[in-house]
Amino acid sequence: MARYAMVIDTRSCIGCHSCTVACRVHNNLPVDMIYNPVTTVGPTGVYPNLHMAHIPLLCMHCEQTPCVNSCPTGASQRREDGIVWIEESKCVGCKTCVMVCPYGARVSNHEKGTVQKCDFCFDRVDKGSIPRCVQSCHQKARIFGDLDDETSEVFKLVNGEHAVRLLDDLGTEPYVFYIYGLEG
Amino acid sequence: MAQKHETWGWMLAVDFFFAGMGGGMLVIAGLSDLFLGVGMTSVLGNLLGPCFVGLGACLLVLELGRPFQSWRVFMNPKAILTFGAWNMLFAIGSGFIYTSFGIGALPWSNSIPVREFFAVTNVIFGMIVATYPGVLLARHKSRPFWTGTGIMGLFLISSLVTGGAAHMISQYVYGAISSIVSSWGIVDASSSAVLRGLPFFVAGLLALQLILWIGYVWIKHSGSTKRETIAAERWISGNYAMPFKGGFLLLGTFLPLVLVLIPGDLMKGLGALLVILGGLIMRLLVVYSGQDRTWLPGEQKYRSRLPLGHEAFLKAWNSK
């Protein structure tokens, strides 16, 4: 069984927000909903040594899932391949998962009354494709693959580069990894 | 968008308040019965306990995005919210059944073992309902003001003190209307030792609440992480400082601590009302403080730039 993960190389990201737009179009999201915003850190430092980084954020598809554990209806689920998703018909919009997620990755759909989030485009992944945000990234800053496959690029990056996890001290073991440059 | 930070709304805070107060009333009624005998708390107070828990449950349902699917919250036994929902249900049932033993006109009112059984269930389910919001919040590792066991104790104390205050007011109200229901054979609690002692019980808990809250905010401020310090600063000198210090600590804790110890029903009643107001202010502040999440790199700047007040435009746009 695969264990899907994503590596985000912030050295390559230029903050164009193509991934954000592609995700919204693919998931047909309302205007006020974003699954994967891109934040900006900096500029930091003193001229001429200035640094700035763009950090794409999304659901971290954690190994230890506080969202799944806290969902009173069982709508939040985690597949064997690690993808965390929401079965919309079961969601009652209690927002427990929204509050318990350390990454702010879940958003309420006020029209439907449910909570929604990034699901690594599993409809595409199950057909052998890659998530829409990865496909749309012209800088190749997003790398998606099977972390259990030693030949995959994500395996090599996670084990070869200094890939870090966000808020690692909270113990959620996210499966989205970040590679920082000089600013990190 | 309506808000820059996803957070629970006021209805959940008021749910925590009513459920906590009702749970506290069940605990006081149950313990009084078990250790001191029947008729220690007024029947009106015993009745209002489960009613308040039920009112809290109704607000919880209204807070949901899909209220008509609310039955689904009973489905995942591993989730703390499911645990809380079931316990609220049991507490309401136990509270109503226990109350019925105080009405002499009902045929089962003299069955002492059954009454004591429901006094025990009152204590168990009331205690869980009174504490569980604190447990729910304490498990949010990324919400620096909530995380940790301290918040559980604060919720339990607040539930017990508001429950005690509500029992005091119930007795005053029942005293005024008792002649109306005199034919129902309702157990008279007007000379109960518990009701005489409640002002002292409430005063003791208020003193404890005052000390523990000051200690809690101080510990958070000098706490283990920078994010806890930042969250606590909101309560010390930020936008929560005035409602916390003036509304909760002074008006909702210190002033009633003095008032309930002054002889005379008017002062005690006023003090009890302020205790309840303080409990409500505390729940609102704690729930809204949940918007202080542990931020990701650049996230605060990103969220500060999100537009607010465009709901009408967005609704029109989305319906296109």
Side-chain angles (χ1 to χ4, degrees):
Chain A
M1 176 56 69
R3 199 341 171 168
Y4 291 117
M6 190 181 287
V7 176
I8 295 175
D9 189 344
T10 66
R11 298 170 301 184
S12 301
C13 180
I14 58 169
C16 69
H17 296 259
S18 296
C19 51
T20 306
V21 175
C23 171
R24 287 174 69 162
V25 171
H26 177 72
N27 291 293
N28 196 22
L29 296 182
V31 176
D32 56 341
M33 282 180 69
I34 299 174
Y35 287 171
N36 58 350
V38 180
T39 66
T40 302
V41 178
T44 55
V46 179
Y47 179 83
N49 299 311
L50 293 169
H51 306 290
M52 188 160 75
H54 303 286
I55 317 285
L57 300 173
L58 68 161
C59 173
M60 302 286 153
H61 298 274
C62 305
E63 184 72 22
Q64 307 299 327
T65 47
C67 52
V68 174
N69 299 340
S70 67
C71 178
T73 68
S76 278
Q77 298 166 42
R78 184 171 163 275
R79 304 193 332 173
E80 281 189 26
D81 57 14
I83 294 177
V84 179
W85 66 293
I86 299 172
E87 191 176 341
E88 198 172 289
S89 62
K90 286 185 179 177
C91 179
V92 296
C94 69
K95 293 206 276 190
T96 308
C97 58
V98 174
M99 298 304 289
V100 85
C101 174
Y103 304 99
R106 291 172 171 245
V107 280
S108 298
N109 185 327
H110 299 292
E111 287 179 20
K112 290 183 179 174
T114 57
V115 172
Q116 294 174 213
K117 62 177 278 297
C118 157
D119 56 10
F120 269 170
C121 293
F122 70 74
D123 53 332
R124 293 167 58 88
V125 171
D126 287 346
K127 292 174 188 164
S129 187
I130 53 174
R132 193 74 180 81
C133 56
V134 179
Q135 188 194 37
S136 70
C137 184
H138 43 78
Q139 298 299 311
K140 310 289 182 205
R142 289 175 179 253
I143 303 101
F144 179 80
D146 178 6
L147 201 57
D148 285 347
D149 177 4
E150 293 186 10
T151 62
S152 70
E153 196 177 351
V154 287
F155 180 87
K156 289 171 186 167
L157 286 169
V158 168
N159 292 288
E161 299 280 344
H162 293 292
V164 297
R165 289 162 151 168
L166 293 180
L167 304 180
D168 205 14
D169 58 319
L170 297 181
T172 51
E173 299 175 32
Y175 269 69
V176 174
F177 297 85
Y178 289 81
I179 298 172
Y180 289 120
L182 292 170
E183 77 294 330
Chain B
M1 57 186 58
Q3 56 195 26
K4 295 189 179 191
H5 310 279
E6 288 267 2
T7 185
W8 279 318
W10 65 268
M11 273 192 281
L12 193 91
V14 181
D15 156 45
F16 285 170
F17 163 70
F18 276 118
M21 182 163 68
M25 292 177 85
L26 292 181
V27 171
I28 291 168
L31 286 176
S32 305
D33 189 315
L34 290 172
F35 292 102
L36 297 166
V38 69
M40 289 292 139
T41 49
S42 75
V43 170
L44 181 63
N46 297 347
L47 178 66
L48 284 176
C51 287
F52 286 147
V53 177
L55 186 57
C58 290
L59 287 163
L60 183 66
V61 169
L62 291 174
E63 173 81 13
L64 298 176
R66 296 164 75 197
F68 294 110
Q69 296 282 318
S70 58
W71 56 271
R72 290 186 185 275
V73 302
F74 295 100
M75 291 294 114
N76 183 7
K78 292 178 184 170
I80 183 81
L81 205 73
T82 302
F83 178 73
W86 276 111
N87 274 287
M88 284 173 90
L89 202 65
F90 293 143
I92 293 167
S94 170
F96 280 133
I97 295 169
Y98 175 78
T99 302
S100 70
F101 286 92
I103 302 171
L106 296 172
W108 59 83
S109 61
N110 290 325
S111 178
I112 295 169
V114 182
R115 192 196 78 225
E116 288 182 341
F117 171 79
F118 283 104
V120 171
T121 57
N122 261 11
V123 174
I124 294 169
F125 297 126
M127 190 67 91
I128 293 171
V129 169
T131 316
Y132 118 87
V135 179
L136 176 72
L137 301 185
R139 291 161 59 99
H140 288 70
K141 288 182 182 175
S142 62
R143 310 276 166 179
F145 196 79
W146 295 350
T147 186
T149 52
I151 201 84
M152 299 189 314
L154 295 173
F155 267 79
L156 176 61
I157 288 171
S158 179
S159 297
L160 290 175
V161 76
T162 50
H167 265 302
M168 283 172 64
I169 294 170
S170 300
Q171 176 56 28
Y172 299 143
V173 172
Y174 179 72
I177 62 165
S178 57
S179 59
I180 300 169
V181 291
S182 57
S183 61
W184 296 5
I186 288 177
V187 174
D188 181 20
S190 55
S191 57
S192 146
V194 168
L195 289 173
R196 281 201 309 275
L198 263 181
F200 301 102
F201 172 75
V202 167
L205 284 177
L206 284 171
L208 189 63
Q209 177 171 267
L210 191 66
I211 294 164
L212 288 181
W213 259 103
I214 292 170
Y216 185 76
V217 174
W218 180 71
I219 287 168
K220 283 283 174 192
H221 190 252
S222 58
S224 52
T225 62
K226 191 183 172 191
R227 46 202 186 227
E228 287 186 3
T229 305
I230 294 167
E233 271 170 9
R234 259 187 197 268
W235 295 67
I236 296 168
S237 55
N239 56 339
Y240 294 159
M242 193 57 195
F244 173 59
K245 293 175 188 170
F248 175 60
L249 289 184
L250 181 65
L251 203 63
T253 305
F254 183 73
L255 190 58
L257 169 59
V258 177
L259 289 175
V260 294
L261 294 176
I262 295 174
D265 288 351
L266 185 65
M267 287 294 129
K268 290 185 195 304
L270 183 63
L273 282 174
L274 287 175
V275 169
I276 291 170
L277 177 69
L280 180 60
I281 293 171
M282 187 275 262
R283 299 313 197 286
L284 287 166
L285 287 174
V286 170
V287 168
Y288 281 126
S289 69
Q291 66 180 269
D292 286 329
R293 217 185 66 236
T294 301
W295 301 113
L296 301 169
E299 194 188 357
Q300 267 183 300
K301 189 163 74 175
Y302 164 77
R303 290 197 181 275
S304 72
R305 290 174 174 175
L306 291 175
L308 278 181
H310 293 182
E311 291 77 28
F313 164 75
L314 293 171
K315 195 173 179 185
W317 181 273
N318 289 333
S319 63
K320 277 171 69 179

